[in-house]
Amino acid sequence: MEREGRAVGAASGELVTIGEFARLSRLSAKALRRYDELGLLRPALVDPVNGYRYYDPAQAEGARLVAWLRRIGMPLSRIGRVVALDAGAAAVEVRAYWARVEAETAARRDLAMYLVDHLSAEGRTMSRIPGSTGSTGSTRSTGSTGNTGDTDKGVGAVPLVIRCAALTDTGAVRTTNQDAAFAGPRLLAVADGFGEGGASASAAAIEALKPSAWGAREGAPAAADLLNALEDTADSAALAVRDAVASCAAPDGSGTTLTAMLWIGSRLGLVHIGDSRAYLLRGGELFRITHDHSLVQSMIDDGSLSREEAASHPGPALLLKALVGEARSAPPAVASRPDVSLREVVAGDRYLLCSDGLSAVVDETELRAAVIAAEDPEEAVRRLVGLAREGGGPDNVACVVADVVGE
């Protein structure tokens, strides 16, 4: 009798068959069955005898939301979280997802433009080699080895080295320090850990960037080789963080940001993920050379938030990308990959790497003044940590300052 009553309910219009609901929601019956299996869109009733699915017409809006989220490429595991939220929270989640997509697309665009420039330069070089088609020039010297200034300038270029210092501080509010920093002749790095395993994550990320191979190479590798090495290094850091936080109660809730520079020849390889930052002081001007992977930064990018409003936004710490552990309650997610890029350096450059414990407290005008005024990197990091303390020291602070000088 119960089954007959439910069938009457379906026939009377209270519930509809899967075919009718497919027309209402503009989804195929195959898709609806798949969403049911994944728990994204359960039928209102499944006949216990024949297994027929019946839906409430009010479910059509939720079904269309699932379809729209799939059209923007959102993974099914994330869609499951979105559809369980109220409308306001779901909107925040969709914004965060799309901002991450745009950040990753921008990173691929930058790499594509670099490859265009690199391949174009290679083509011009080949055209100058004697014996090649159309060659009228002389060969480019490639006799330099070691940390020379610009390998394209050949023998006689001034060797460059870096002088650097690193400093971390717990701050005036926190009781533990989850930030980490490192400054050496081949590596500059800051990492801002978060969650239960934050301290282990930040330390592991930087430790993964310290293989002896970086300091054992003869000469400066080709740009393509360096990019490949940077990609491998970024993957190593992501794996190290996953291993470091694997024992945490919620591994995907622990992780770290990472901003690092690896020094080879006349180039610095930049590895970046999260909202720690890298700045370059050149010619008296301070330039930010990283892009925050945060929700607030995405809102600045799309014009929905001004930089002035962002300074007082209640959620500046919501990250779109970071190195995190794997979730245990869901299929392993693909770890966010850091952005990698190459930068040419010149003598006189001064670099600043810092966690948001500094950049969120001290504005760029004060940062520039402090970086310029310091005689050397050691004085600079002490000045910067002092400024964060003067600003209330609400968070851990990590900073690295490095000067590029003639050897």
Side-chain angles (χ1 to χ4, degrees):
M1 290 296 294
E2 181 183 1
R3 177 166 56 84
E4 290 176 359
R6 287 176 177 171
V8 169
S12 66
E14 296 175 12
L15 300 179
V16 297
T17 65
I18 190 171
E20 293 168 339
F21 189 71
R23 288 189 290 274
L24 277 175
S25 62
R26 298 186 180 180
L27 294 172
S28 68
K30 180 179 179 180
L32 291 172
R33 285 190 288 269
R34 175 64 171 158
Y35 295 160
D36 179 14
E37 293 167 0
L38 294 172
L40 298 178
L41 186 68
R42 296 292 193 189
L45 170 68
V46 177
D47 192 296
V49 176
N50 57 32
Y52 289 167
R53 294 172 171 86
Y54 295 97
Y55 292 83
D56 188 327
Q59 292 179 278
E61 184 176 352
R64 286 192 289 269
L65 175 59
V66 172
W68 290 332
L69 294 174
R70 287 296 291 155
R71 288 182 66 182
I72 66 172
M74 185 178 287
L76 290 171
S77 59
R78 189 161 186 169
I79 290 176
R81 296 197 299 270
V82 173
V83 297
L85 300 172
D86 61 51
V92 172
E93 183 73 10
V94 172
R95 174 186 283 278
Y97 167 75
W98 192 247
R100 174 174 166 176
V101 170
E102 289 185 325
E104 292 173 343
T105 300
R108 290 196 297 270
R109 179 198 63 218
D110 292 345
L111 178 57
M113 293 301 99
Y114 167 79
L115 291 174
V116 168
D117 292 342
H118 171 66
L119 293 172
S120 298
E122 288 292 318
R124 290 193 295 272
T125 300
M126 288 298 295
S127 70
R128 295 196 297 268
I129 297 176
S132 64
T133 303
S135 173
T136 59
S138 61
T139 59
R140 182 173 65 178
S141 171
T142 57
S144 300
T145 61
N147 277 9
T148 60
D150 185 341
T151 55
D152 288 342
K153 294 176 183 177
V155 176
V158 177
L160 299 177
V161 295
I162 53 176
R163 303 281 184 249
C164 52
L167 187 61
T168 67
D169 185 68
T170 303
V173 175
R174 302 290 178 88
T175 57
T176 59
N177 191 353
Q178 293 186 309
D179 283 9
F182 180 84
R186 296 280 184 172
L187 173 66
L188 313 169
V190 296
D192 182 356
F194 55 85
E196 176 189 352
S200 297
S202 60
I206 292 180
E207 194 63 30
L209 301 183
K210 295 195 255 181
S212 59
W214 284 108
R217 298 184 180 186
E218 290 296 329
D225 293 336
L226 181 52
L227 273 177
N228 289 338
L230 285 173
E231 291 279 2
D232 292 342
T233 298
D235 289 344
S236 296
L239 180 59
V241 170
R242 290 201 297 273
D243 290 343
V245 302
S247 61
C248 295
D252 56 339
S254 292
T256 186
T257 68
L258 177 65
T259 300
M261 287 182 152
L262 297 118
W263 170 260
I264 295 189
S266 65
R267 294 185 177 95
L268 279 171
L270 177 63
V271 178
H272 170 68
I273 187 169
D275 62 356
S276 294
R277 293 180 176 179
Y279 295 88
L280 165 64
L281 179 69
R282 179 180 287 176
E285 294 298 324
L286 188 70
F287 306 95
R288 176 150 57 110
I289 58 175
T290 54
H291 196 75
D292 292 352
H293 299 137
S294 67
L295 181 59
V296 165
Q297 183 63 58
S298 75
M299 295 172 73
I300 294 173
D301 294 342
D302 66 21
S304 58
L305 198 66
S306 70
R307 292 191 179 276
E308 292 73 22
E309 292 169 332
S312 59
H313 192 274
L318 180 56
L319 296 175
L320 301 179
K321 292 177 65 177
L323 300 178
V324 296
E326 291 180 346
R328 291 177 179 157
S329 59
V334 177
S336 297
R337 299 193 70 178
D339 298 340
V340 299
S341 59
L342 298 179
R343 299 193 62 86
E344 297 291 339
V345 298
V346 298
D349 284 350
R350 174 170 281 185
Y351 287 90
L352 163 64
L353 280 63
C354 65
S355 64
D356 69 340
L358 177 64
S359 60
V361 175
V362 182
D363 66 34
E364 291 190 5
T365 300
E366 290 181 288
L367 285 181
R368 175 181 175 275
V371 173
I372 288 177
E375 289 291 331
D376 54 41
E378 290 80 6
E379 181 185 346
V381 295
R382 289 195 298 270
R383 281 177 177 263
L384 293 167
V385 169
L387 286 174
R389 280 272 183 173
E390 290 172 11
D395 198 358
N396 304 151
V397 182
C399 61
V400 170
V401 173
D403 290 343
V404 179
V405 298
E407 189 172 38

